[in-house]
Amino acid sequence: MREGAALTAFTERGRALAEQLADALGGTLRPVGQPLSDWTAECFPACEALVFVGAVGIAVRAVAPHIGSKASDPAVICVDETGRWAISLLSGHLGGANALAARIAALTGGEAVVTTATDLNGLFAVDLWAKKQGMAVVNPERIKQVSAKILRGEAVVIDSPYPLPRPAPEPVQCGAPGDVLVSYRMTETRALQLAPKVLTLGIGCKRGTDAQTLEAAFSRFCAERRILPEAVEKAASIDVKRDEPGLFAFCARHAWPLAFYGAEELRNVPGDYTASHFVEDAVGVDNVCERAAVLCANGKLIEKKYARGGVTFALAERRAEYDWSWQDG
């Protein structure tokens, strides 16, 4: 999980402003004496946002070696030392740089500089919509093909298994096949695919199972069941696993909240599950992964028990409702 904002400045006046912004944003300031290149290399993959108080050229040269993808890069903002301009440089939508620039401008009494075409024209932004609705962008390189159609005023079709309210914002339509596909399944689509974070992973494991074993089993599970890992939002297991460091490390790596339930709670989950007398003798309930997933998701089982190498997984899907909001506020 990424940390918050990291800030740096290059003059005495700029550092005073950076300190004020760090306090307001709950961020950290580059220590005096730390080389800028070291600070950038450390903060770029670890922080949600990098804020440079100073010249744009310095910021651009600092982050250039680290730029990867709009799906993973942090927000990068440049603010002049007077606070007059807050410029969104990188990851305006998915990283939240446009919104952060506006927030900083409000703090300094300045103006946010945003150059994203859909924002400037007040048009529907599919990547902002995905972020606002809690969906992961699977193939971010295809955002531009959807945005280009919107900017040309052409219809953009969204194919979603979940009901969406009518009417849709212009020029969006609902249907199939779509320019945008909402699905948690691995596909060969040529559309922009959005993975809805609606799945709960139920987990069972032998005592002492390490995070690497769980990670390898999870990768195989997702590949065999054609599930996008990005669609998992949380995990669940039985309470006798509360002292398993490998389980906690595995879930922490994915930033999943981890819930635990007692054997009696799991036994009372309605439904038909893959029973195991061995599991029942060991922990007091005939199935852990399926029952824990369904109980935590308060939903339906979509992938039954998968067992490999002392690890069991199952997936449940919660009910999801989406709207058309894509802007902050």
Side-chain angles (χ1 to χ4, degrees), residues 7 13-27 29 53 81-82 107-108:
L7 298 91
R13 185 177 184 182
R15 189 169 181 88
L17 176 58
E19 289 175 347
Q20 295 173 12
L21 292 175
D23 288 340
L25 300 174
L29 196 60
V53 180
E81 66 176 32
T82 70
L107 291 170
T108 64

Side-chain angles (χ1 to χ4, degrees), residues 74-162:
V76 177
I77 312 294
C78 187
V79 186
D80 73 281
E81 66 176 32
T82 70
R84 182 178 179 185
W85 307 109
I87 306 167
S88 172
L89 289 181
L90 188 68
S91 290
H93 282 174
L94 292 181
N98 291 357
L100 182 57
R103 183 180 176 190
I104 290 173
L107 291 170
T108 64
E111 186 172 347
V113 179
V114 173
T115 57
T116 312
T118 50
D119 289 19
L120 293 173
N121 290 279
L123 298 174
F124 179 78
V126 68
D127 47 353
L128 271 183
W129 179 69
K131 182 177 181 180
K132 187 82 170 181
Q133 302 301 316
M135 301 182 191
V137 179
V138 178
N139 44 6
E141 70 279 2
R142 294 180 183 169
I143 292 173
K144 60 184 178 183
Q145 68 191 30
V146 176
S147 296
K149 291 189 71 172
I150 290 173
L151 288 167
R152 292 194 300 265
E154 299 175 13
V156 167
V157 180
I158 296 181
D159 181 0
S160 171
Y162 308 100

Side-chain angles (χ1 to χ4, degrees), residues 121-309:
N121 290 279
L123 298 174
F124 179 78
V126 68
D127 47 353
L128 271 183
W129 179 69
K131 182 177 181 180
K132 187 82 170 181
Q133 302 301 316
M135 301 182 191
V137 179
V138 178
N139 44 6
E141 70 279 2
R142 294 180 183 169
I143 292 173
K144 60 184 178 183
Q145 68 191 30
V146 176
S147 296
K149 291 189 71 172
I150 290 173
L151 288 167
R152 292 194 300 265
E154 299 175 13
V156 167
V157 180
I158 296 181
D159 181 0
S160 171
Y162 308 100
L164 290 165
R166 304 296 179 97
E170 292 291 340
V172 176
Q173 301 176 4
C174 297
D179 301 286
V180 180
L181 173 65
V182 179
S183 175
Y184 52 70
R185 296 285 181 183
M186 295 179 182
T187 72
E188 302 301 324
T189 183
R190 294 183 179 180
L192 170 65
Q193 184 169 357
L194 308 179
K197 292 181 177 292
V198 294
L199 303 182
T200 296
L201 182 69
I203 306 173
C205 61
K206 289 182 178 178
R207 181 157 296 279
T209 302
D210 59 31
Q212 291 73 22
T213 299
L214 285 160
E215 194 68 60
F218 179 64
S219 294
R220 290 192 295 266
F221 169 64
C222 289
E224 292 181 21
R225 302 291 177 90
R226 306 292 294 171
I227 293 292
L228 291 168
E230 301 97 313
V232 177
E233 62 176 349
K234 53 188 175 179
S237 190
I238 192 168
D239 58 4
V240 296
K241 300 299 178 183
R242 285 185 184 274
D243 60 349
E244 292 287 342
L247 177 59
F248 277 96
F250 168 61
C251 292
R253 185 176 298 171
H254 293 273
W256 295 330
L258 177 57
F260 293 99
Y261 301 100
E264 184 175 356
E265 289 179 282
L266 295 176
R267 282 196 302 270
N268 290 331
V269 177
D272 295 322
Y273 302 103
T274 309
S276 166
H277 294 301
F278 174 80
V279 173
E280 187 168 19
D281 290 341
V283 298
V285 61
D286 62 2
N287 181 290
V288 170
C289 60
E290 293 177 359
R291 291 177 178 273
V294 170
L295 180 57
C296 187
N298 189 25
K300 62 181 180 180
L301 189 68
I302 64 155
E303 290 295 338
K304 296 181 73 65
K305 179 179 175 180
Y306 168 92
R308 186 159 185 170

